[in-house]
Amino acid sequence: MENLFNLVRRQMYGTNNRLIEGSREIDLTYITDRVIAMSVPGAGVEAAYRNDIDDVAQVLHQQHGSHFRIWNLSGKQYDASKFSGSVVSWCYWPDHHPPPLPMFFQLCYDMEQWLLQNKKNVAVVHCLAGKGRTGVLISGFILYCGLFLSSEKALLFYALKRTKNLYAVSMPSQRRYVHYFADLIQKRKKVSKVFKVIKTITINKIPGVDVTGSGSYCWLEIYQYNTNPSLPHSNNNNNNNNNHNNNNNNKRKQRRTERKKERKEKRKKKER
């Protein structure tokens, strides 16, 4: 049965470098000796295709005793008692998006302080798949600690360690924020906590956009950063996030359907 679970996990996380412990394969990678990336731990049915939470807890306790702390970026809650309560879970931001810069700096500072407390301490970071958001934070932390000065080198280092195909932090906005972060560190700029109001958005020369319906459509989604760190712990917040995502998906499907109808009607008119 364990071999079957391993096969399913390979299909899901096949390009990730995984930790092999006897007959178990855990989607967990040492980026450095003291910084670890992994996918979200799962229990029950989820343990069949995600990291089994008991396996992860056992490995971390065996390898590091009480000297580990987990940063959960996924917004998904699980039994933190398996890890002796050493789980930081206020730090959620939406999947495929970059973190707010104040949060980015706060997380790097918290990780640094944890590692400075004891030479044995290790930092474990995960989102859902343990690639995008996890890679953003770890790449940023590498820059924060001065291991690399170049954001491109930090991202490449993470990709080399975490994956077999170098496909790690792939979203343009996430990579761009790592570049911003590196620039702020190098120039020693402070991040303003004053929120600015967007009054106008100007987009110039976008190829393939046609208001007649024969080309591509362009739309903009704006997310408001939640400054209350207690909300990610609540089930209501998770439900709201899920409802928001479902609504967005439904709107996209509706727009696609409308476009198809418009194109069919235009074709019929041309044929007439």
Side-chain angles (χ1 to χ4, degrees):
M1 184 63 72
E2 187 67 34
N3 290 332
L4 178 60
F5 288 162
N6 287 336
L7 181 61
V8 173
R9 291 170 192 146
R10 280 187 216 129
Q11 291 296 320
M12 190 163 185
Y13 303 111
T15 60
N16 292 354
N17 290 319
R18 301 182 299 281
L19 179 70
I20 299 176
E21 288 279 333
S23 62
R24 297 176 302 182
E25 292 187 18
I26 302 174
D27 184 30
L28 182 151
T29 308
Y30 281 80
I31 307 301
T32 71
D33 291 342
R34 302 182 67 194
V35 178
I36 300 168
M38 69 176 186
S39 56
V40 63
V45 176
E46 285 191 340
Y49 59 91
R50 295 194 186 278
N51 277 340
D52 188 313
I53 191 170
D54 292 320
D55 289 345
V56 176
Q58 185 178 359
V59 166
L60 289 177
H61 282 297
Q62 285 178 349
Q63 297 291 336
H64 304 287
S66 60
H67 294 284
F68 67 87
R69 181 169 292 173
I70 299 172
W71 276 263
N72 174 9
L73 314 180
S74 70
K76 186 178 180 62
Q77 303 303 308
Y78 48 81
D79 187 1
S81 66
K82 300 273 187 181
F83 305 100
S84 303
S86 189
V87 179
V88 179
S89 55
W90 63 264
C91 41
Y92 164 80
W93 73 84
D95 198 6
H96 306 304
H97 291 71
L101 285 171
M103 179 192 284
F104 206 161
F105 274 95
Q106 185 63 52
L107 287 171
C108 288
Y109 175 79
D110 291 348
M111 289 171 66
E112 180 189 43
Q113 293 304 303
W114 166 250
L115 294 180
L116 288 174
Q117 286 181 22
N118 193 305
K119 291 182 179 180
K120 294 181 180 180
N121 286 355
V122 297
V124 186
V125 182
H126 76 78
C127 46
L128 286 177
K131 293 175 74 173
R133 286 174 289 179
T134 300
V136 169
L137 179 54
I138 292 180
S139 298
F141 183 66
I142 288 170
L143 291 163
Y144 186 86
C145 295
L147 184 59
F148 289 104
L149 298 178
S150 163
S151 54
E152 284 294 342
K153 288 183 178 179
L155 287 164
L156 179 59
F157 176 78
Y158 173 78
L160 284 167
K161 290 287 188 175
R162 181 67 173 126
T163 70
K164 298 174 183 176
N165 61 357
L166 302 185
Y167 192 78
V169 183
S170 58
M171 300 303 293
S173 61
Q174 291 182 331
R175 297 183 68 88
R176 186 166 63 250
Y177 262 66
V178 176
H179 299 325
Y180 292 161
F181 191 75
D183 188 56
L184 288 170
I185 291 172
Q186 290 174 11
K187 295 180 180 178
R188 296 184 178 181
K189 292 181 179 179
K190 292 184 179 180
V191 179
S192 174
K193 293 185 179 180
V194 178
F195 289 90
K196 297 182 179 180
V197 178
I198 299 174
K199 293 184 177 180
T200 60
I201 297 174
T202 304
I203 304 174
N204 297 315
K205 297 181 180 179
I206 298 179
V209 176
D210 188 349
V211 293
T212 63
S214 59
S216 302
Y217 282 77
C218 180
W219 68 85
L220 176 69
E221 293 181 350
I222 298 176
Y223 292 83
Q224 181 175 350
Y225 168 49
N226 188 356
T227 56
N228 189 342
S230 65
L231 288 179
H233 290 283
S234 67
N235 291 328
N236 289 333
N237 187 64
N238 291 332
N239 291 334
N240 290 336
N241 287 331
N242 291 332
N243 291 333
H244 176 73
N245 291 333
N246 290 333
N247 289 334
N248 284 337
N249 290 333
N250 291 333
K251 287 179 182 178
R252 291 190 187 108
K253 289 178 182 178
Q254 186 177 355
R255 283 194 290 264
R256 291 193 197 105
T257 304
E258 290 173 356
R259 290 174 208 156
K260 288 179 181 179
K261 288 181 180 179
E262 289 176 1
R263 287 169 188 162
K264 286 181 181 179
E265 290 176 0
K266 287 181 180 179
R267 287 173 188 168
K268 288 179 181 179
K269 289 179 181 179
K270 287 181 181 179
E271 289 174 359
R272 292 174 184 171

